[in-house]
Amino acid sequence: MKDRIVLDVWVPDLTFPGWMDRWYEQGRDFEKAHPEYRVNIVGQDFWTFPLKVAEAAAEGRAPMVAEIYFYMGQAARDMRNRDGSPVFTSVEKAVGGRTEILGEPVVIDDLLPAFRDYYSLDGDLTSMPSGGTTSLLFANANLLRAAGVSELPQTWTEVEAVCDEIAKLRNGPAHAITWSNHGTFFQQALASQGGLLVDNDNGRSGRATTAYLASDEMLAWVEWWRGLHRRGHYLYTGKIPDWAGTFKAFADQDVAIRFTSSNDVNYMVQAAEQSGFPIEIGIFPYNEKVPYVGNAVAGTSLWLANGLDEATQDGALALIQFLHNPRNAADRHKFSSFIPITRASYDLLEEEGWFDKHPYHRLAYEHVSRYPSGATVDPALAGGVPLSQGALFGDFAGNQDVMTRAMGDVLAHGADPLVRFTEATLEAQRLLDAYNEYALRNGFRDPAGTPGHSLAVESFSEASAGRDYSAADLEKVVRLKLAR
């Protein structure tokens, strides 16, 4: 038998029990169907994964397929091989309109629009969405019923009203609600209001060059959050992001409501069962004072290496389709709680009765597939599917670090939202400027020279980007806000 074609596939190892075992199993299954290929699955550290890919590309050994976190889309586009060529190429262009590759049906046209849109630029699907999540509300049904609340809140005003009722409970929890101080919730709050993190349509109509974290939409979210905290409703653990702390508060019934990722469905339901209370799951509440515009999604996508020979590229493309066929996509959802990426995988789960037996898993798919009932929708928006115009810009992780530290100062130290988020805008701008200057000059051919945390998935560093701004700097950004 002639030598098999090796497909090097790098994925972030999330360290969940069985996580890499499932990847290895899928690789073996593909090899059985396509014995001319050998799939070499390599698990890499989640936090430094993009840096590892950039280092490998600089040394001429980039993987054929790399699963990259959604924060890092701009970095993936900017990465260059040592000869200056792009590390990755468009998945859709490589498919070239084919309906099957090596016998594997092409499924890119069946992707859930929210995810296809997120990983596309100018209508071109650059990378294949793999893991998908959104943000949801989880509630302790016993505490809500004891407070006389019969329905989950869907708007910010309704959340306030529910929290007021929870606070009246005799021997009730000290706080009504909590969520982690993490960028994903800022993104969701902005998306629902049509707010952006950077210019040029969130980096979609051109390279993002201007960061702005003090927009009207951002400040509306921050002020609402601060209001819940000031009234004693919101539990702030004092840590960033503290997923574990907010999870424990909900599991211990120290709060009635928690916002978290849809990827937490299994853990949240298990925690409620172990603590002996029924759980209810709802959409992430929105600001009803403005039209509902979009829904933020998160997750990972598979990027295809540029410059592969035809046999290797077709093998990689066939593998990508194989991983997303209805059966594999449905099983991935069952294993990890990730949203079913394709309509066919959702339909398969429905036909098999999965959602009837596990109704908590249905909502995440529905939340990214339609607008909330009763929401006022911008009439200029076409269709019935919320837009997912996620931001595309450099040093996304640094930007999130800046905004979460700013929010921490608002909650813990009483900082003024406008002033503090104006300062945060300047911090984020410096990070974006540094990223763009380096990326355009060097194209990440020398990963050791990348500025700050630009190739880290998340940093949460208290030491990053000091706040040494002059009064003129602050005045300039405040004037920018007033002019918008």
Side-chain angles (χ1 to χ4, degrees):
M1 180 179 178
K2 66 178 183 180
D3 291 340
R4 293 191 293 172
I5 299 172
V6 177
L7 301 177
D8 287 320
V9 180
W10 289 13
V11 300
D13 183 356
L14 302 187
T15 70
F16 298 151
W19 182 263
M20 290 307 301
D21 291 337
R22 175 157 178 76
W23 271 109
Y24 299 143
E25 179 183 351
Q26 289 179 318
R28 290 192 296 269
D29 288 343
F30 182 81
E31 291 174 343
K32 292 177 183 177
H34 303 274
E36 69 272 29
Y37 291 94
R38 181 169 69 83
V39 181
N40 180 34
I41 303 290
V42 179
Q44 298 279 9
D45 177 66
F46 171 78
W47 307 105
T48 60
F49 185 88
L51 178 60
K52 297 294 185 183
V53 174
E55 289 174 340
E59 297 171 1
R61 52 179 185 85
M64 287 77 174
V65 177
E67 187 179 44
I68 294 179
Y69 194 52
F70 78 109
Y71 275 12
M72 308 307 296
Q74 186 63 58
R77 294 176 185 278
D78 289 334
M79 285 184 193
R80 293 294 182 269
N81 292 305
R82 56 184 175 186
D83 63 0
S85 62
V87 172
F88 299 110
T89 191
S90 160
V91 167
E92 184 168 9
K93 289 178 180 176
V95 168
R98 289 176 285 180
T99 58
E100 62 88 23
I101 300 173
L102 302 182
E104 299 292 343
V106 172
V107 300
I108 61 176
D109 290 334
D110 191 44
L111 288 168
L112 195 61
F115 292 100
R116 180 179 178 112
D117 291 349
Y118 190 94
Y119 294 102
S120 295
L121 185 63
D122 298 328
D124 173 55
L125 181 67
T126 310
S127 58
M128 183 72 172
S130 47
T133 67
T134 190
S135 300
L136 298 175
L137 175 152
F138 295 77
N140 181 320
N142 281 348
L143 290 175
L144 263 59
R145 300 298 174 267
V149 177
S150 59
E151 296 183 357
L152 294 179
Q154 294 195 78
T155 69
W156 291 2
T157 296
E158 290 172 357
V159 168
E160 293 174 24
V162 169
C163 289
D164 287 341
E165 296 305 312
I166 294 294
K168 296 175 184 177
L169 282 175
R170 179 178 297 180
N171 299 320
H175 302 277
I177 191 169
T178 193
W179 62 87
S180 299
N181 183 5
H182 188 272
T184 191
F185 303 119
F186 291 83
Q187 294 169 49
Q188 178 74 2
L190 290 179
S192 65
Q193 300 176 84
L196 305 175
L197 287 172
V198 289
D199 65 342
N200 290 329
D201 301 308
N202 250 2
R204 297 285 173 166
S205 61
R207 178 178 288 272
T209 59
T210 303
Y212 200 71
L213 300 186
S215 65
D216 291 341
E217 295 84 4
M218 175 68 84
L219 290 174
W221 163 247
V222 171
E223 291 280 10
W224 180 73
W225 186 347
R226 181 178 72 156
L228 289 177
H229 183 252
R230 283 185 162 183
R231 290 161 64 184
H233 295 325
Y234 172 77
L235 168 65
Y236 182 50
T237 67
K239 297 179 181 180
I240 302 174
D242 203 14
W243 296 102
T246 59
F247 174 80
K248 186 176 187 301
F250 184 81
D252 291 346
Q253 304 188 68
D254 292 332
V255 296
I257 296 173
R258 181 190 183 217
F259 299 163
T260 190
S261 168
S262 60
N263 194 46
D264 275 353
V265 169
N266 283 339
Y267 300 109
M268 293 292 281
V269 171
Q270 290 170 7
E273 291 176 348
Q274 291 173 2
S275 297
F277 64 85
I279 191 172
E280 293 183 357
I281 304 177
I283 68 168
F284 188 93
Y286 59 92
N287 180 4
E288 76 281 7
K289 297 177 182 178
V290 297
Y292 189 97
V293 175
N295 194 306
V297 299
T300 55
S301 65
L302 297 173
W303 290 74
L304 176 68
N306 179 42
L308 300 176
D309 63 80
E310 183 178 356
T312 303
Q313 177 171 283
D314 279 357
L317 286 171
L319 174 63
I320 290 172
Q321 307 312 310
F322 171 81
L323 293 171
H324 292 78
N325 68 35
R327 179 74 274 157
N328 282 332
D331 287 347
R332 183 180 180 90
H333 161 77
K334 290 180 179 180
F335 176 78
S336 64
S337 295
F338 286 138
I339 297 172
I341 290 294
T342 64
R343 298 180 183 91
S345 61
Y346 177 85
D347 291 343
L348 178 59
L349 290 163
E350 192 76 82
E351 291 168 6
E352 294 179 342
W354 168 260
F355 294 117
D356 292 334
K357 296 178 181 178
H358 306 87
Y360 301 121
H361 286 283
R362 191 193 305 274
L363 181 61
Y365 181 96
E366 295 178 346
H367 193 25
V368 299
S369 301
R370 58 180 64 96
Y371 293 104
S373 60
T376 300
V377 180
D378 187 339
L381 299 177
V385 178
L387 297 172
S388 53
Q389 188 171 305
L392 183 65
F393 64 98
D395 209 346
F396 203 141
N399 178 287
Q400 306 299 279
D401 189 20
V402 166
M403 69 171 65
T404 53
R405 285 189 289 108
M407 193 68 217
D409 286 345
V410 169
L411 297 173
H413 307 298
D416 177 83
L418 175 58
V419 172
R420 185 63 186 90
F421 275 80
T422 296
E423 293 178 347
T425 297
L426 292 168
E427 293 181 49
Q429 185 64 51
R430 291 181 180 181
L431 294 176
L432 181 58
D433 288 344
Y435 173 92
N436 282 339
E437 194 276 334
Y438 180 83
L440 293 173
R441 185 185 72 235
N442 291 337
F444 291 117
R445 285 194 291 271
D446 176 18
T450 55
H453 306 289
S454 62
L455 285 184
V457 172
E458 291 183 354
S459 56
F460 306 118
S461 169
E462 295 294 337
S464 63
R467 285 176 275 152
D468 52 343
Y469 313 116
S470 67
D473 286 332
L474 296 175
E475 181 181 2
K476 179 179 180 181
V477 178
V478 171
R479 288 182 181 277
L480 175 63
K481 170 182 165 38
L482 295 175
R484 288 167 65 91

